[in-house]
Every structure is written in structure tokens, then in C-alpha cells.
């Protein structure tokens, strides 16, 4: 087991934000985390990538208790791609990616040729090599997100956490980035908003509602019309494409339902 | 065969890649070298300026003599006499002071701008200058600290600066973790409070002579520089500058935000505490010897950033050197602009800095904080 959470709970203002969360990511898995806004996906991920600290419960990465590990050690094992926020200063693309080398460097150590090799390899992987000298602010949303992915790759970890990094992107870039990540051959734990994307990329899915895991399994087992109704309070049809075998979720809008019953 | 070609191609790419990196490095070092040479030249040339005319030849002889302790054309006026007193005793320590303070203020400016994630921050943003003023007001108007000897004004200003920035930091840390905006706002609040206290003291004391001393002191000046009092500020400011150079990765990460930094292995909240103390110490030192000299810490990082970019590894080195050169020459202006008297250097830096600041504001190529 690469990652394992053990009864992780957080209480805030008398409300359980997370309640006894037990999830795991096994060797070679792409695991998805879905659930409506406020269900605790992001809070859980933040606990895993150590921005928040759980009240109780432990998180293990490769059998090591994360809470007892120096942040630098964790950063050498686990990289995180989050939704992009603007910076008020402008960096060049290669400078952003170089920050991914930080966990491997000590205080007075400057970058060496190996670090440059790593960052250019990472940029090549995300198809942004020719943008290395460009200023970050001139890039499009999709390009920026790819640069941040390159930064995560420059950390040279084999575990990747995605905190809804594709949310605000066009569908083409969403697919592009997820395809890229899927091809990387790393363990991935991802919070994904778009259910159709979640079912097409994840090997396994955890469904969260009100701070609890309410379902778990491969997409075909988990995603059902009943579950969507229970968790998201929506009417939807779940169909399997006869040609590709791909699962797809069709949302039924209110006016459609009304006209059918009338 | 094909595999062999592929390997040679890869090797060629490698060599090209290395050459490119080496070339970039050379450009960088050339830049640093040129600025260092410019700094040394500025330090020597600036010795020529002042109210008393001393010939270039005489100046060089005095410097040469004092640095190498060698006599050229054995001459008594070299180790004593007016030229020696003026150049070695008055001007030289002052030029060193200008260089060190210019470097210090610029580096502190860079660090402050990173810490509050706002390109308009400067060394005095976090309540430091008004804290220093309050300290100076206490000293001049009430005589607090006069037991500490002749430097008591600077000393109590130093304490004021240190205490106020620690208060700012503590306020920003109450409740949730400190954020750049909280730092900025608590800086404003503490500034307002300190200014109110200062005004109150001035109002109550009603001391015209004291007020004149205070005003002159607040406008900043390097006039007090002597060999005796430059050592401590020089050591602290240079050591601080080197320390922040070693922190370039954390400073870069500060601009990405605390959460991203944690995922890259750095807890910035911890480093921010250290940086606040060190910058307060450095700013306090500047205030101690030179009063408040505005805008240097704002404009130098700006100009340098426009040329070398935001990477703090370069930004700190280049800002430090540029700041040193800048302040040496503004001090020359301060010494020689008005006939027969000396202008406070703070007036000149503000006259140059404020219009520049407005220009940045209008040009708006930077984001301002949160957006």
C-alpha cells in the first residue's frame, strides 16, 4: 500500500469536517475522490499533503507516518498539483519549475547541471520545453497548469496528489492534462469535480458526503443513479457506451423531468 | 546503427545543453563582476566630492597610503593633516556607510516585498519607521536613554523599530496563521498608533529646539558616520544580506504561497518569524546610524527586478550592489547640491523615489497583492 489514512477526523466549530476517513492507494493505482462541494474532499487532501493537521488519525505514505516526517522528506516522495492561483510577481517558466527542486537542495546549495536536466526533462514531458524562457503570466490557463505539473514532476516523486487542478480549464486541456498524468506511471490520488472525467480516468473511486466516505470501488460498481441521487441530489442516467464500454453520466435537468411526467 | 546514431545525437544534445547553461552562468557572473567594479569605482570617485576641494592626486595618495600603509613620496600630510582628516577620517567611513546602508535597505526591501507578496512594500512597511520615530521622539523630547551615551537617539530609535515590528508580527499571528495581508494591515495599524504617540509627545513637550533635531533626524542623514560607529551596522547588514541570499528558495516560494511551499517542503510560517526578526534588526541598524531614508528599498528592487527577473538568487545580489551604488551617489548629491550646507539624504531619495513610485502605480504591470 502506497498511501493509507487511518481514521482521520477533523472537527471545526462543533461540526465534523472529516469523520473517520480510511482510504488507501495501492501500487499503480489512479484513485479518485468525488463528492459535492463541502463534502470534505479538499480538506482530506490538505491533510494528506500536510497543509492541515487532523485532530485524530494517522496518514501513512510508504508505511511512514507523515506527521513525524520533515516536510522536505515528504516533498521528495509526494508532489501536489493544485488549482492555479495568480502570483503578483512574474517568474519565468523555468524558474517556477526549478522550485520543484527545492526539496532536494540545502540552504547554500545552488542549482547544478543535473537540476537543469531534470527541469528540462519535466518541461519536455508536459510539452512546454520551448516555453522555458517565457514569462509565466503570458501563458494560457492550460499552459500554466502544465507548467505546475512540470514543477511537480521536477520533484521526482512517484506519488502525485491532484487537488482539482483541471477545474477551470477547457475540456480539451482537462483531457490533455489527465491523459498526461495517466501516462506517467505514478500513483495518483485526485479530487475530480467532473464525474464523467472521474469515471474515465480512475481505477478506483471514493465518494464523499458530509465528511464521510459513503461508497468505494471501481467506477462501474460505484457510480449508479441511486448514488448520484443520494449524494448529489440530482437525477441522472448512467449509461455504458456500447462501442467503447465507457461509462457516461447524463444529467437530467428539472424542466426535462417535468415535461416527462406531465 | 540507428541506436548508435541516437546515442551520438543524445550526446550532442547534452553538450549543447551544457554549453548553453555555462553561457548563461557566464553572463550572470559578468553582470555581478561589472556591478562590483562599478561599486568600487563609485566608492573612490565619491571621495572627491565635498565642501572642501581636495585634488584627485591628493585623494588617491591618502587612500593608497591608508589602505596599504605605504608612503608614497614620504609626506607628513599623509598620515595627519587636513587632507587625511577629511578624506580618511570623514569621507571614507561615510562612503562605506552609504554603500552598506544602500545594500541593506535594498535587500530588506526585496525580502519585505516577498514576505507581504506585494511589490509596493518597503523596509518601513511593517511599522518599522514609525516605531523608530517614536523611539527617537522619546529620546529627543523626553531624554529617555540618555544614559546610553552620545548615540542614545539612534539606540532608542533602534529599539522602537525592533519592538514595533515584533508587535506587528505578533498581532498578525493572533488567531489564525499570519498571512501577507494581515501583516500589511497590522503594520498600518501599529504605524498609526506610533505616530499618534509621537505627535502627543511632541505636542506635550512643546520644545522647538528638540523639534528641529527630530525633524532633521527623521529626514535621514549619513553625517554621523565615523570609523567608530560603522562597524556594527556594517557587520549586521552584510551578514543579514548574506543570510537572505542563502534563503533565495524560500523567498521565491513565498510568492507562490504558503500551501504550495509546504508541498515543496518548506514551512514558510516558521521562516517568516526568523525573517521578521532579522529584517527588524537590520532596519533598526539603519535607523540607528542614519535615521529614516525612504524609497531606496522600494525603487531599487523594482528596477533590478525589471532587469534580472523575480528569481531571488539574482534579485538579492543585484539589488544589494545596485542599492549600494545608488546610495553612494545620492549621498554625494546630498553633500554637494547646496552650497555651504548639507541636505538630508532622505529628501533626495524621496524626491527621486516618489515620482518613480507613482510611475509604477500608473504603469501597473504588476499585480497589487491578492489579485
Amino acid at each position: 500500500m502506497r498511501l493509507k489514512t487511518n481514521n482521520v477526523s477533523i472537527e471545526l466549530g462543533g461540526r465534523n469536517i472529516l469523520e473517520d476517513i480510511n482510504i488507501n492507494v495501492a501500487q499503480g493505482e489512479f484513485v479518485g475522490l468525488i463528492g459535492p462541494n463541502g463534502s470534505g474532499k479538499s480538506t482530506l487532501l490538505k491533510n494528506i499533503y500536510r497543509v492541515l493537521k487532523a485532530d485524530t488519525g494517522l496518514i501513512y505514505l510508504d508505511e511512514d507516518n507523515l506527521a513525524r516526517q520533515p516536510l522536505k522528506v515528504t516533498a521528495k516522495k509526494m508532489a501536489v498539483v493544485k488549482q492555479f492561483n495568480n502570483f503578483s510577481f512574474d517568474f519565468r517558466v523555468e524558474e517556477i519549475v526549478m522550485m520543484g527542486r527545492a526539496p532536494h537542495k540545502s540552504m547554500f546549495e545552488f542549482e547544478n547541471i543535473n537540476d537543469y536536466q531534470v527541469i528540462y526533462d519535466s518541461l519536455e514531458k508536459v510539452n512546454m520545453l520551448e516555453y522555458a524562457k517565457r514569462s509565466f503570466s503570458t501563458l494560457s490557463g492550460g499552459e500554466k497548469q502544465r507548467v505546475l505539473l512540470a514543477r511537480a514532476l521536477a520533484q521526482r516523486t512517484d506519488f502525485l496528489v491532484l487537488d482539482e487542478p483541471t477545474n477551470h480549464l477547457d475540456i480539451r486541456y482537462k483531457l490533455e492534462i489527465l491523459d498526461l498524468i495517466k501516462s506517467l506511471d505514478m500513483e495518483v490520488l485526485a479530487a475530480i469535480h467532473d464525474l464523467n472525467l472521474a469515471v474515465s480516468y480512475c481505477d478506483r473511486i471514493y465518494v464523499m458526503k458530509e465528511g464521510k466516505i459513503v461508497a468505494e470501488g471501481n467506477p462501474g460498481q460505484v457510480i449508479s443513479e441511486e448514488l448520484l441521487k443520494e449524494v448529489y441530489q440530482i437525477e441522472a442516467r448512467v449509461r455504458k457506451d456500447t462501442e467503447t464500454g465507457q461509462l457516461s453520466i447524463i444529467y437530467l435537468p428539472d424542466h426535462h423531468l417535468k415535461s416527462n411526467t406531465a | 546503427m540507428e541506436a548508435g546514431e541516437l546515442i551520438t545525437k543524445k550526446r550532442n544534445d547534452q553538450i549543447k545543453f551544457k554549453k548553453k547553461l555555462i553561457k548563461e552562468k557566464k553572463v550572470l557572473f559578468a553582470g555581478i563582476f561589472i556591478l562590483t567594479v562599478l561599486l568600487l569605482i563609485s566608492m573612490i570617485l565619491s571621495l572627491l566630492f565635498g565642501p572642501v576641494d581636495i585634488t584627485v592626486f591628493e585623494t588617491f595618495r591618502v587612500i593608497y597610503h591608508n589602505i596599504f600603509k605605504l608612503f608614497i613620496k614620504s609626506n607628513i600630510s599623509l598620515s595627519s593633516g587636513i587632507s587625511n582628516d577629511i578624506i580618511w577620517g570623514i569621507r571614507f567611513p561615510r562612503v562605506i556607510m552609504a554603500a552598506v546602508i544602500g545594500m541593506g535597505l535594498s535587500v530588506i526591501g526585496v525580502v519585505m516585498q516577498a514576505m507581504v507578496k506585494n511589490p509596493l512594500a518597503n523596509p518601513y512597511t511593517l511599522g518599522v519607521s514609525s516605531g523608530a520615530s517614536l523611539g527617537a521622539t522619546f529620546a529627543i523630547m523626553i531624554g529617555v536613554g540618555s544614559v546610553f551615551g552620545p548615540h542614545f537617539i539612534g539606540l532608542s530609535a533602534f529599539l522602537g523599530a525592533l519592538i514595533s515590528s515584533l508587535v506587528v508580527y505578533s498581532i498578525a499571528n493572533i488567531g489564525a496563521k499570519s498571512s501577507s495581508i494581515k501583516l500589511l494591515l497590522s503594520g498600518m495599524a501599529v504605524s498609526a498608533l506610533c505616530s499618534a504617540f509621537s505627535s502627543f509627545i511632541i505636542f506635550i513637550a512643546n520644545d522647538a529646539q528638540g523639534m528641529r533635531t527630530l525633524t532633521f533626524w527623521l529626514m535621514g542623514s549619513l553625517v554621523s558616520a565615523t570609523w567608530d560607529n560603522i562597524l556594527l551596522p556594517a557587520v549586521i547588514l552584510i551578514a543579514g544580506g548574506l543570510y537572505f541570499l542563502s534563503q533565495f528558495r524560500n523567498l521565491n516560494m513565498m510568492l507562490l504561497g504558503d500551501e504550495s511551499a509546504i508541498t515543496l517542503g518548506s514551512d514558510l510560517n516558521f521562516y517568516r518569524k526568523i525573517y521578521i526578526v532579522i529584517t527588524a534588526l537590520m532596519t533598526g541598524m539603519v535607523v540607528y546610524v542614519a535615521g529614516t531614508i525612504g524609497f531606496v528599498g522600494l525603487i531599487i528592487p523594482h528596477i533590478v527586478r525589471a532587469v534580472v527577473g523575480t528569481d531571488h538568487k539574482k534579485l538579492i545580489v543585484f539589488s544589494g550592489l545596485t542599492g549600494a551604488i545608488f546610495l553612494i551617489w545620492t549621498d554625494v548629491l546630498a553633500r554637494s547640491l547646496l552650497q555651504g550646507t548639507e541636505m538630508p539624504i532622505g529628501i533626495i531619495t524621496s524626491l527621486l523615489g516618489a515620482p518613480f513610485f507613482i510611475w509604477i502605480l500608473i504603469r501597473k504591470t504588476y499585480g497589487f497583492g491578492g489579485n
Side-chain angles (χ1 to χ4, degrees):
Chain A
M1 209 57 70
R2 295 295 321 274
L3 180 90
K4 194 167 152 27
T5 71
N6 208 336
N7 295 321
V8 169
S9 303
I10 282 196
E11 200 194 280
L12 206 79
R15 217 181 112 227
N16 286 325
I17 308 289
L18 294 178
E19 209 178 320
D20 289 330
I21 304 283
N22 291 295
I23 67 165
N24 58 64
V25 180
Q27 197 78 42
E29 269 191 318
F30 191 126
V31 174
L33 209 52
I34 64 171
N37 288 338
S39 60
K41 291 175 302 211
S42 241
T43 311
L44 176 58
L45 286 187
K46 280 188 172 142
N47 269 283
I48 290 170
Y49 62 75
R50 303 186 62 185
V51 164
L52 294 176
K53 207 168 168 338
D55 300 332
T56 57
L58 297 170
I59 298 166
Y60 295 94
L61 180 65
D62 295 327
E63 315 294 322
D64 294 321
N65 180 357
L66 279 185
R68 297 201 163 186
Q69 203 169 59
L71 286 172
K72 258 192 170 173
V73 176
T74 310
K76 284 185 209 173
K77 291 183 174 175
M78 174 169 76
V80 182
V81 184
K82 298 189 303 168
Q83 208 182 110
F84 164 72
N85 292 315
N86 267 313
F87 313 137
S88 39
F89 292 84
D90 200 13
F91 282 105
R92 283 199 289 180
V93 166
E94 61 175 4
E95 290 165 350
I96 299 259
V97 181
M98 189 53 97
M99 291 188 209
R101 299 303 298 159
H104 298 270
K105 298 265 133 193
S106 61
M107 201 164 82
F108 261 110
E109 199 181 350
F110 288 92
E111 292 88 11
N112 56 32
I113 191 135
N114 175 50
D115 296 313
Y116 280 97
Q117 210 107 55
V118 170
I119 69 164
Y120 282 101
D121 280 352
S122 309
L123 279 170
E124 195 166 14
K125 269 195 189 135
V126 301
N127 270 325
M128 292 291 289
L129 191 55
E130 61 277 30
Y131 289 71
K133 303 281 177 202
R134 281 269 294 274
S135 95
F136 188 72
S137 66
T138 62
L139 305 183
S140 73
E143 290 165 342
K144 283 177 179 164
Q145 210 63 60
R146 276 193 283 168
V147 170
L148 294 190
L149 179 59
R151 189 185 76 201
L153 297 181
Q155 284 173 258
R156 285 283 158 102
T157 65
D158 47 15
F159 195 95
L160 195 59
V161 176
L162 306 178
D163 197 350
E164 308 190 8
T166 62
N167 253 359
H168 57 305
L169 298 183
D170 288 341
I171 186 67
R172 182 188 142 202
Y173 293 121
K174 284 187 182 175
L175 295 175
E176 208 175 86
I177 285 189
L178 288 170
D179 279 334
L180 187 69
I181 290 167
K182 190 86 178 169
S183 73
L184 290 174
D185 200 30
M186 319 164 74
E187 279 77 51
V188 179
L189 175 62
I192 299 179
H193 229 73
D194 186 322
L195 296 178
N196 277 312
L197 288 179
V199 298
S200 28
Y201 285 93
C202 298
D203 301 318
R204 210 145 53 78
I205 286 181
Y206 286 97
V207 185
M208 289 189 76
K209 189 194 176 190
E210 287 160 10
K212 281 179 268 205
I213 302 281
V214 291
E216 182 247 316
N218 68 46
Q221 295 168 335
V222 172
I223 302 294
S224 66
E225 292 166 13
E226 297 75 43
L227 178 110
L228 293 176
K229 183 158 189 159
E230 190 211 315
V231 174
Y232 287 92
Q233 276 101 46
I234 55 164
E235 294 290 337
R237 299 278 171 270
V238 179
R239 295 277 182 270
K240 202 165 200 166
D241 185 57
T242 44
E243 210 175 302
T244 59
Q246 177 85 50
L247 215 56
S248 80
I249 296 144
I250 301 142
Y251 305 113
L252 301 177
D254 216 15
H255 62 84
H256 185 91
L257 293 173
K258 272 180 195 147
S259 65
N260 267 9
T261 48
Chain B
M1 188 59 206
E2 252 183 27
E5 269 173 30
L6 209 69
I7 290 170
T8 15
K9 189 185 173 296
K10 223 174 176 179
R11 193 173 296 148
N12 284 340
D13 281 354
Q14 282 277 355
I15 294 169
K16 244 194 250 164
F17 180 68
K18 270 187 192 167
K19 273 190 182 155
K20 217 178 105 194
L21 285 181
I22 290 170
K23 199 182 149 202
E24 274 177 30
K25 231 180 197 161
K26 274 186 185 160
V27 172
L28 189 67
F29 281 120
I32 295 173
F33 179 75
I34 291 170
L35 276 181
T36 312
V37 171
L38 274 179
L39 174 61
L40 293 176
I41 293 174
S42 302
M43 285 175 80
I44 292 170
L45 283 185
S46 61
L47 291 172
L48 299 172
F49 296 90
V52 181
D53 274 326
I54 297 169
T55 61
V56 179
F57 179 69
E58 185 73 8
T59 309
F60 278 115
R61 277 207 314 172
V62 171
I63 299 166
Y64 187 81
H65 165 75
N66 276 293
I67 290 176
F68 299 105
K69 290 291 170 207
L70 291 173
F71 288 91
I72 346 163
K73 283 198 215 158
S74 176
N75 189 332
I76 294 172
S77 78
L78 277 177
S79 45
S80 59
I82 294 174
S83 301
N84 186 75
D85 285 351
I86 290 177
I87 289 170
W88 191 253
I90 297 174
R91 288 189 194 168
F92 205 65
R94 184 165 175 167
V95 167
I96 289 179
M97 178 82 92
V100 167
I101 286 180
M103 182 277 295
L105 284 175
S106 305
V107 171
I108 303 166
V110 169
V111 174
M112 283 290 171
Q113 292 174 0
M115 271 204 297
V116 303
K117 280 203 265 179
N118 192 316
L120 298 184
N122 68 66
Y124 307 118
T125 301
L126 300 187
V128 178
S129 69
S130 37
S133 314
L134 182 58
T137 313
F138 262 116
I140 294 169
M141 297 297 190
I142 305 182
V144 176
S146 51
V147 286
F148 295 122
H151 298 307
F152 74 100
I153 299 175
L155 206 65
S156 79
F158 169 77
L159 287 177
L162 199 64
I163 292 169
S164 68
S165 49
L166 294 182
V167 169
V168 168
Y169 184 71
S170 311
I171 293 174
N173 253 315
I174 293 172
K177 275 185 181 175
S178 74
S179 67
S180 47
I181 293 176
K182 268 174 88 182
L183 269 178
L184 213 59
L185 293 179
S186 57
M188 280 171 63
V190 170
S191 284
L193 208 61
C194 287
S195 307
F197 271 119
S198 300
S199 306
F200 177 70
I201 293 169
I202 293 168
F203 175 71
I204 290 294
N206 197 18
D207 168 2
Q209 176 56 36
M211 244 170 103
R212 202 179 141 66
T213 319
L214 183 66
T215 316
F216 191 78
W217 191 86
L218 286 179
M219 286 188 288
S221 171
L222 296 172
V223 114
S224 69
T226 64
W227 285 114
D228 298 329
N229 70 356
I230 64 169
L231 186 67
L232 185 66
V235 168
I236 287 186
L237 289 174
I238 290 171
L242 288 176
Y243 171 75
F244 282 122
L245 177 60
S246 79
Q247 298 298 306
F248 71 93
R249 276 192 200 91
N250 284 333
L251 292 169
N252 281 345
M253 280 192 252
M254 285 200 167
L255 301 183
L256 296 189
D258 285 18
E259 290 194 5
S260 297
I262 285 179
T263 71
L264 293 171
S266 254
D267 182 6
L268 295 185
N269 208 40
F270 166 75
Y271 287 107
R272 211 175 278 124
K273 283 180 205 164
I274 299 176
Y275 296 174
I276 292 265
V277 174
I278 294 180
T279 49
L281 204 66
M282 290 170 75
T283 318
M285 268 298 136
V286 173
V287 165
Y288 165 57
V289 286
T292 48
I293 302 175
F295 287 100
V296 180
L298 177 76
I299 53 177
I300 300 297
H302 261 284
I303 294 170
V304 174
R305 197 178 284 115
V307 178
V308 304
T310 310
D311 186 1
H312 284 80
K313 184 181 36 176
K314 302 175 202 161
L315 192 54
I316 290 212
V317 175
F318 283 92
S319 294
L321 290 170
T322 315
I325 297 171
F326 174 78
L327 210 65
I328 287 175
W329 289 108
T330 17
D331 189 45
V332 167
L333 279 182
R335 275 183 283 171
S336 48
L337 219 53
L338 294 184
Q339 208 83 69
T341 178
E342 185 166 315
M343 237 161 106
I345 192 170
I347 294 180
I348 297 174
T349 56
S350 297
L351 273 179
L352 294 171
F356 186 81
F357 187 93
I358 294 167
W359 178 64
I360 297 167
L361 220 78
I362 296 169
R363 223 171 44 126
K364 219 181 173 182
T365 47
Y366 288 107
F368 289 100
N371 43 40

